[in-house]
Amino acid sequence: NRVEFESKVEMFFMSNKHPSGIFVMLDIDNFKQVNDTFGHVAGDKILCNVADILRSIFTETELISRIGGDEYALFIPFELEESYLNSKLKKLHEVLNMDIDHIKISCSTGIAFCPINGSDFEALYNCADIALLTSKRNGKNQYRFYESDMELPIIAHIEEKVVSLLDSTSDAMFVSDAYTSEIIYINETACNILGKTKKECLGSRCYQIFWSRCRNCDRCFNIGQCVNEFYEEDTMLLDE
């Protein structure tokens, strides 16, 4: 996990006076579409396949970790010849390039170097993340080396990361239109409770899918009456 990965990378820096290395971050392109269309079981299979691919290509290191959602990171604790590193990155993008029922799965990658871009976990992580986001912005399915003139992430990608965090929480969450009661967002936890995919839930009326009612309940009305305060209610799914 990320905590253990970060700890091992920091330990490397603490034990080396003049460290050098390569920090790589990878994000699976269009992974959310797979989860929304086929459910989390199919998504989990892709995550496992990506981990296996990374281990098979980057045999120089055991410092490989999923750090959240559909993102992975790896750290090579020494320098590699540029041509050799490029050959590995090209192979990664060739192997991780597939179609799943018309959904294109590929990866975007960002790379930072120690000591040029930093000599601690946080600095390298930030630089590699910016390089990764640059890859996403420029069409996905590519890798970029960090450059000092690269811009910070755009708002759209920040929102994408927020959605990923909400999907990984243990609390069920959904957002519905106050007027139509149609579900416009629902996280993975709520879908799992209902036994449905996001595609099945989005657009459905919340009172039908959560409480098996044929008409709107009073919850949205009560929430709408709140001004500068919170509305709180204990409820159960499929309640009467």
Side-chain angles (χ1 to χ4, degrees):
N1 59 41
R2 173 171 174 161
V3 174
E4 183 179 0
F5 174 74
E6 182 175 348
S7 176
K8 288 182 177 179
V9 173
E10 287 290 11
M11 192 176 299
F12 165 78
F13 289 122
M14 291 173 62
S15 58
N16 288 271
K17 291 184 178 180
H18 304 288
S20 62
I22 305 166
F23 196 103
V24 180
M25 283 188 63
L26 175 148
D27 182 280
I28 306 171
D29 299 326
N30 306 319
F31 179 75
K32 185 176 181 295
Q33 284 183 254
V34 175
N35 263 352
D36 291 350
T37 305
F38 303 108
H40 69 282
V41 174
D44 287 346
K45 288 182 179 178
I46 291 176
L47 292 174
C48 291
N49 287 340
V50 171
D52 290 338
I53 290 170
L54 288 172
R55 282 191 287 265
S56 68
I57 294 176
F58 294 95
T59 54
E60 297 86 358
T61 181
E62 295 182 353
L63 295 175
I64 299 174
S65 175
R66 180 184 171 202
I67 57 174
D70 55 356
E71 286 189 341
Y72 287 81
L74 66 91
F75 181 69
I76 301 171
F78 46 81
E79 295 179 355
L80 292 177
E81 289 285 341
E82 184 177 347
S83 59
Y84 184 59
L85 175 60
N86 274 301
S87 69
K88 284 185 170 290
L89 292 167
K90 287 177 182 177
K91 183 177 181 180
L92 170 65
H93 283 263
E94 288 171 2
V95 175
L96 221 171
N97 192 349
M98 61 193 82
D99 287 321
I100 300 179
D101 198 12
H102 307 298
I103 298 176
K104 183 176 176 59
I105 298 297
S106 56
C107 68
S108 298
T109 311
I111 305 97
F113 297 93
C114 170
I116 299 173
N117 305 132
S119 295
D120 59 67
F121 179 90
E122 185 175 0
L124 291 173
Y125 174 90
N126 289 336
C127 290
D129 193 37
I130 291 172
L132 184 156
L133 296 176
T134 302
S135 296
K136 297 283 260 189
R137 275 203 302 257
N138 286 278
K140 304 180 180 180
N141 190 26
Q142 59 187 274
Y143 64 90
R144 291 294 182 99
F145 299 114
Y146 174 76
E147 297 175 8
S148 58
D149 60 350
M150 285 180 172
E151 298 177 354
L152 291 172
I154 56 175
I155 296 299
H157 197 83
I158 294 175
E159 291 176 352
E160 182 181 321
K161 285 198 168 188
V162 170
V163 169
S164 178
L165 288 172
L166 292 176
D167 277 340
S168 63
T169 184
S170 59
D171 295 321
M173 300 180 183
F174 74 93
V175 179
S176 60
D177 186 287
Y179 296 100
T180 66
S181 298
E182 291 182 351
I183 295 175
I184 56 178
Y185 169 76
I186 185 168
N187 72 349
E188 289 292 339
T189 305
C191 289
N192 294 340
I193 291 173
L194 294 169
K196 298 179 181 293
T197 65
K198 283 192 176 184
K199 187 176 181 179
E200 293 173 312
C201 295
L202 293 174
S204 300
R205 287 177 168 77
C206 58
Y207 56 83
Q208 292 176 333
I209 199 167
F210 280 102
W211 293 284
S212 295
R213 293 173 179 261
C214 59
R215 62 179 179 81
N216 204 345
C217 60
D218 295 328
R219 292 182 178 90
C220 289
F221 175 79
N222 292 335
I223 293 170
Q225 299 304 301
C226 291
V227 178
N228 297 326
E229 59 183 2
F230 292 100
Y231 173 78
E232 185 175 351
E233 173 190 331
D234 292 328
T235 187
M236 295 181 65
L237 296 184
L238 306 180
D239 59 353
E240 296 298 332

